Amino acid sequence: MTDRPIIFSAPMVQAILREIQNPGTGKTQTRRVLKPQPTSYQGEREEITQIGKVGYPTEIFTKKLCNGSYGEIVKFAPGDRLWVREAWRSERSWDNLPPRDLFAADPIWTEADGEWSDIVSPSHGFTTGKLRPSMFMPRWASRITLDVTDVRVQRLQEISGSDAAAEGVQLSRWITGNYPFFDNGVEVDNAVLVDKFRTLWDSLNADRGFGWRDNPWVVAVTFRPHLCNIDQTEKAA
Protein backbone atom coordinates (compact mmCIF):
# COMPACT_ATOMS: atom_id res chain seq x y z
CA MET A 1 0.00 0.00 0.00
CA THR A 2 1.32 3.42 -1.03
CA ASP A 3 0.09 6.89 -0.16
CA ARG A 4 0.22 9.33 -3.09
CA PRO A 5 -1.04 12.85 -3.80
CA ILE A 6 -3.36 13.34 -6.77
CA ILE A 7 -4.56 16.61 -8.31
CA PHE A 8 -8.17 17.27 -9.31
CA SER A 9 -9.79 20.36 -10.84
CA ALA A 10 -12.65 22.09 -9.03
CA PRO A 11 -15.41 20.43 -11.16
CA MET A 12 -13.91 16.99 -10.48
CA VAL A 13 -13.67 17.72 -6.76
CA GLN A 14 -17.35 18.68 -6.86
CA ALA A 15 -18.14 15.37 -8.59
CA ILE A 16 -16.24 13.45 -5.90
CA LEU A 17 -18.09 15.33 -3.16
CA ARG A 18 -21.36 14.49 -4.91
CA GLU A 19 -20.44 10.82 -4.76
CA ILE A 20 -19.64 11.05 -1.05
CA GLN A 21 -22.94 12.78 -0.32
CA ASN A 22 -25.07 10.64 -2.64
CA PRO A 23 -23.33 7.38 -3.63
CA GLY A 24 -23.88 6.34 -7.24
CA THR A 25 -24.23 9.87 -8.61
CA GLY A 26 -20.66 11.18 -8.66
CA LYS A 27 -17.06 10.39 -9.49
CA THR A 28 -15.39 7.07 -8.65
CA GLN A 29 -12.91 6.81 -11.53
CA THR A 30 -10.08 8.87 -12.98
CA ARG A 31 -7.97 8.35 -16.10
CA ARG A 32 -4.35 9.47 -16.25
CA VAL A 33 -2.07 9.42 -19.29
CA LEU A 34 0.70 6.80 -19.18
CA LYS A 35 4.12 8.39 -19.55
CA PRO A 36 5.99 7.34 -21.54
CA GLN A 37 3.42 5.88 -23.90
CA PRO A 38 4.01 2.16 -24.63
CA THR A 39 5.43 1.48 -28.08
CA SER A 40 3.51 -0.57 -30.61
CA TYR A 41 4.60 -4.06 -31.45
CA GLN A 42 2.92 -7.33 -32.32
CA GLY A 43 1.13 -8.79 -29.33
CA GLU A 44 1.18 -5.54 -27.35
CA ARG A 45 -2.58 -5.48 -26.83
CA GLU A 46 -2.78 -8.91 -25.21
CA GLU A 47 0.21 -8.39 -22.94
CA ILE A 48 -0.23 -4.81 -21.81
CA THR A 49 -3.84 -5.13 -20.67
CA GLN A 50 -2.90 -7.87 -18.23
CA ILE A 51 -1.89 -5.08 -15.87
CA GLY A 52 -5.54 -4.63 -14.98
CA LYS A 53 -5.78 -8.11 -13.54
CA VAL A 54 -5.36 -8.47 -9.80
CA GLY A 55 -1.86 -9.50 -8.83
CA TYR A 56 -0.28 -9.01 -12.25
CA PRO A 57 3.13 -7.34 -11.81
CA THR A 58 3.49 -3.78 -13.08
CA GLU A 59 7.08 -4.64 -14.06
CA ILE A 60 5.58 -5.60 -17.43
CA PHE A 61 6.38 -2.03 -18.44
CA THR A 62 10.10 -2.37 -19.10
CA LYS A 63 12.46 -1.35 -21.86
CA LYS A 64 10.56 -3.48 -24.38
CA LEU A 65 7.37 -1.45 -23.96
CA CYS A 66 8.45 2.00 -22.84
CA ASN A 67 10.77 3.58 -25.39
CA GLY A 68 13.85 2.49 -23.50
CA SER A 69 12.59 3.51 -20.08
CA TYR A 70 12.95 0.95 -17.29
CA GLY A 71 10.75 0.65 -14.25
CA GLU A 72 7.07 1.10 -13.55
CA ILE A 73 5.02 3.74 -15.28
CA VAL A 74 1.74 2.66 -13.72
CA LYS A 75 1.85 4.65 -10.50
CA PHE A 76 -1.28 3.19 -8.95
CA ALA A 77 -2.26 -0.19 -7.51
CA PRO A 78 -5.27 -1.59 -5.64
CA GLY A 79 -4.88 -0.83 -1.96
CA ASP A 80 -3.15 2.51 -2.51
CA ARG A 81 -4.49 5.60 -0.77
CA LEU A 82 -4.63 8.90 -2.64
CA TRP A 83 -4.91 12.27 -0.94
CA VAL A 84 -6.58 14.88 -3.10
CA ARG A 85 -4.90 18.16 -3.90
CA GLU A 86 -7.25 20.96 -4.95
CA ALA A 87 -7.15 24.73 -5.40
CA TRP A 88 -7.18 26.46 -2.02
CA ARG A 89 -6.60 29.62 -0.03
CA SER A 90 -5.28 30.40 3.41
CA GLU A 91 -6.28 33.31 5.63
CA ARG A 92 -5.33 36.64 4.02
CA SER A 93 -2.87 37.65 6.69
CA TRP A 94 -0.75 34.61 5.77
CA ASP A 95 -0.57 35.31 2.02
CA ASN A 96 3.14 36.02 2.29
CA LEU A 97 3.85 32.58 3.77
CA PRO A 98 4.72 29.57 1.57
CA PRO A 99 2.70 26.39 2.23
CA ARG A 100 5.59 24.80 4.12
CA ASP A 101 5.39 27.57 6.73
CA LEU A 102 1.69 27.15 7.40
CA PHE A 103 0.50 24.91 10.22
CA ALA A 104 -2.13 22.20 10.43
CA ALA A 105 -4.14 24.42 12.77
CA ASP A 106 -4.40 27.15 10.11
CA PRO A 107 -7.77 27.54 8.34
CA ILE A 108 -8.04 26.37 4.71
CA TRP A 109 -10.54 27.65 2.15
CA THR A 110 -11.36 25.13 -0.60
CA GLU A 111 -12.09 26.76 -3.94
CA ALA A 112 -14.32 23.98 -5.30
CA ASP A 113 -17.18 24.69 -2.90
CA GLY A 114 -16.13 28.00 -1.39
CA GLU A 115 -15.96 26.88 2.23
CA TRP A 116 -13.54 26.90 5.12
CA SER A 117 -12.50 23.37 6.00
CA ASP A 118 -13.80 22.27 9.36
CA ILE A 119 -11.11 19.57 9.34
CA VAL A 120 -8.39 22.03 10.25
CA SER A 121 -9.97 24.95 12.05
CA PRO A 122 -13.20 26.83 12.80
CA SER A 123 -14.04 29.32 10.05
CA HIS A 124 -15.34 32.25 12.10
CA GLY A 125 -13.68 35.58 11.49
CA PHE A 126 -11.32 34.57 8.69
CA THR A 127 -10.83 36.41 5.38
CA THR A 128 -9.86 34.49 2.24
CA GLY A 129 -6.42 35.17 0.88
CA LYS A 130 -4.81 34.65 -2.52
CA LEU A 131 -5.60 31.63 -4.67
CA ARG A 132 -3.05 28.85 -4.25
CA PRO A 133 -2.62 26.18 -6.97
CA SER A 134 -3.65 22.63 -6.12
CA MET A 135 -0.11 21.33 -6.64
CA PHE A 136 1.00 23.27 -3.55
CA MET A 137 -1.65 21.90 -1.17
CA PRO A 138 0.13 20.20 1.74
CA ARG A 139 -0.88 16.75 2.90
CA TRP A 140 -2.33 18.00 6.20
CA ALA A 141 -4.69 20.35 4.33
CA SER A 142 -6.21 17.66 2.12
CA ARG A 143 -9.82 16.85 3.04
CA ILE A 144 -10.54 14.00 0.59
CA THR A 145 -8.98 10.53 0.62
CA LEU A 146 -9.44 7.94 -2.13
CA ASP A 147 -9.04 4.19 -1.58
CA VAL A 148 -7.93 2.60 -4.86
CA THR A 149 -9.98 -0.53 -5.58
CA ASP A 150 -9.09 -1.30 -9.21
CA VAL A 151 -6.46 -0.35 -11.81
CA ARG A 152 -6.72 -0.97 -15.56
CA VAL A 153 -4.56 0.00 -18.51
CA GLN A 154 -6.42 0.69 -21.73
CA ARG A 155 -6.75 2.98 -24.72
CA LEU A 156 -8.68 6.14 -23.93
CA GLN A 157 -11.43 5.42 -26.45
CA GLU A 158 -12.20 2.08 -24.79
CA ILE A 159 -14.16 3.92 -22.10
CA SER A 160 -17.77 2.75 -21.77
CA GLY A 161 -20.86 4.75 -20.92
CA SER A 162 -20.89 3.43 -17.37
CA ASP A 163 -17.21 4.31 -17.01
CA ALA A 164 -17.93 7.82 -18.27
CA ALA A 165 -20.61 8.11 -15.60
CA ALA A 166 -18.10 6.91 -13.01
CA GLU A 167 -15.78 9.68 -14.23
CA GLY A 168 -18.43 12.12 -13.02
CA VAL A 169 -20.14 12.86 -16.34
CA GLN A 170 -23.89 13.30 -16.04
CA LEU A 171 -26.91 13.22 -18.32
CA SER A 172 -29.13 16.27 -18.34
CA ARG A 173 -32.10 14.31 -16.96
CA TRP A 174 -32.84 11.13 -15.04
CA ILE A 175 -35.52 8.52 -14.46
CA THR A 176 -34.19 6.65 -11.46
CA GLY A 177 -31.12 8.71 -10.61
CA ASN A 178 -28.89 5.65 -10.89
CA TYR A 179 -26.92 4.13 -13.75
CA PRO A 180 -27.38 2.07 -15.87
CA PHE A 181 -31.11 2.90 -16.00
CA PHE A 182 -30.98 5.81 -18.45
CA ASP A 183 -33.70 7.93 -20.00
CA ASN A 184 -33.34 7.27 -23.70
CA GLY A 185 -32.23 3.67 -23.75
CA VAL A 186 -28.85 2.35 -22.74
CA GLU A 187 -27.16 2.58 -26.15
CA VAL A 188 -28.23 6.17 -26.81
CA ASP A 189 -27.37 7.45 -23.37
CA ASN A 190 -24.06 5.59 -23.27
CA ALA A 191 -23.08 7.40 -26.46
CA VAL A 192 -24.06 10.74 -24.91
CA LEU A 193 -22.03 10.03 -21.79
CA VAL A 194 -18.94 9.04 -23.76
CA ASP A 195 -19.27 12.14 -25.94
CA LYS A 196 -19.49 14.37 -22.86
CA PHE A 197 -16.44 12.67 -21.43
CA ARG A 198 -14.59 13.25 -24.73
CA THR A 199 -15.34 16.98 -24.48
CA LEU A 200 -14.17 17.06 -20.86
CA TRP A 201 -11.00 15.09 -21.63
CA ASP A 202 -10.04 17.30 -24.57
CA SER A 203 -10.52 20.47 -22.50
CA LEU A 204 -7.82 19.17 -20.15
CA ASN A 205 -5.50 17.14 -22.35
CA ALA A 206 -5.76 18.02 -26.07
CA ASP A 207 -3.32 20.93 -25.84
CA ARG A 208 -0.82 18.58 -24.16
CA GLY A 209 -0.87 16.22 -27.15
CA PHE A 210 -3.06 13.57 -25.54
CA GLY A 211 -6.47 14.39 -26.99
CA TRP A 212 -9.33 11.99 -27.67
CA ARG A 213 -8.34 11.72 -31.33
CA ASP A 214 -4.82 10.64 -30.31
CA ASN A 215 -6.33 7.75 -28.30
CA PRO A 216 -3.45 7.55 -25.80
CA TRP A 217 -2.79 4.71 -23.39
CA VAL A 218 -4.23 5.61 -19.99
CA VAL A 219 -4.44 4.08 -16.55
CA ALA A 220 -8.04 3.90 -15.33
CA VAL A 221 -8.17 4.11 -11.55
CA THR A 222 -11.33 3.17 -9.65
CA PHE A 223 -11.60 4.44 -6.09
CA ARG A 224 -13.83 4.76 -3.04
CA PRO A 225 -13.86 8.38 -1.77
CA HIS A 226 -13.93 9.56 1.84
CA LEU A 227 -14.38 13.08 3.22
CA CYS A 228 -11.47 12.75 5.61
CA ASN A 229 -7.81 13.69 5.75
CA ILE A 230 -5.61 10.72 4.87
CA ASP A 231 -3.90 10.80 8.26
CA GLN A 232 -7.27 10.70 10.01
CA THR A 233 -8.73 7.70 8.16
CA GLU A 234 -7.02 5.09 10.32
CA LYS A 235 -8.04 6.89 13.48
CA ALA A 236 -11.65 6.96 12.25
CA ALA A 237 -11.64 3.25 11.36
Side-chain angles (χ1 to χ4, degrees), residues 166-213:
E167 280 273 2
V169 174
Q170 290 184 299
L171 295 171
S172 59
R173 58 195 182 282
W174 302 78
I175 288 178
T176 64
N178 294 296
Y179 293 101
F181 303 104
F182 307 124
D183 296 317
N184 301 316
V186 171
E187 291 186 6
V188 173
D189 283 336
N190 275 339
V192 171
L193 287 165
V194 171
D195 188 61
K196 287 188 174 185
F197 174 78
R198 175 190 59 79
T199 300
L200 172 65
W201 178 271
D202 278 347
S203 71
L204 299 171
N205 297 285
D207 289 344
R208 302 192 300 123
F210 298 106
W212 177 266
R213 185 172 57 182

Side-chain angles (χ1 to χ4, degrees), residues 4 33-36 38 48 51-52 57-61 66 71-78 80 151-153 218-221:
R4 302 181 185 277
V33 175
L34 282 178
K35 296 181 181 179
I48 199 170
I51 192 67
T58 54
E59 286 79 7
I60 184 175
F61 292 101
C66 301
E72 300 176 5
I73 62 172
V74 178
K75 301 183 184 301
F76 308 94
D80 285 355
V151 177
R152 291 172 288 155
V153 169
V218 297
V219 54
V221 180

Side-chain angles (χ1 to χ4, degrees), residues 86-105:
E86 56 182 301
W88 59 294
R89 301 173 189 264
S90 62
E91 209 280 330
R92 182 180 296 175
S93 61
W94 298 315
D95 276 355
N96 63 324
L97 296 178
R100 66 176 179 272
D101 291 339
L102 297 174
F103 297 95

